[in-house]
């Protein structure tokens, strides 16, 4: 069987939001959302590669 080339994405580290400083909290929340969106994109790509790997293995088995 071919090796799975994809590396599982790591969980993003999010910034802790401060209390009482709204502008800083909004800035850090924007950073957090950006990190989460990037993480989602990495997981979607990982899932595509994993699915392609699965289909390849199934084709090999069915030969």
């Amino acid at each position: 069987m071919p090796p799975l080339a994809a590396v599982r994405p790591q969980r993003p580290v999010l910034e802790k939001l401060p209390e009482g400083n709204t502008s800083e909290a909004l800035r850090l929340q924007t950073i957090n959302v950006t990190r989460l969106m990037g993480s989602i994109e990495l997981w979607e790509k990982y899932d595509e590669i994993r699915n392609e790997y699965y289909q390849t293995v199934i084709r090999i088995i069915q030969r």
Side-chain angles (χ1 to χ4, degrees), residues 19-44:
E19 292 185 30
N21 187 347
T22 307
S23 61
E24 183 66 9
L26 287 172
R27 185 183 77 77
L28 292 174
Q29 183 63 18
T30 302
I31 291 170
N32 288 342
V33 168
T34 302
R35 287 180 183 169
L36 290 170
M37 289 172 57
S39 178
I40 289 169
E41 290 173 4
L42 291 173
W43 276 105
E44 288 174 343

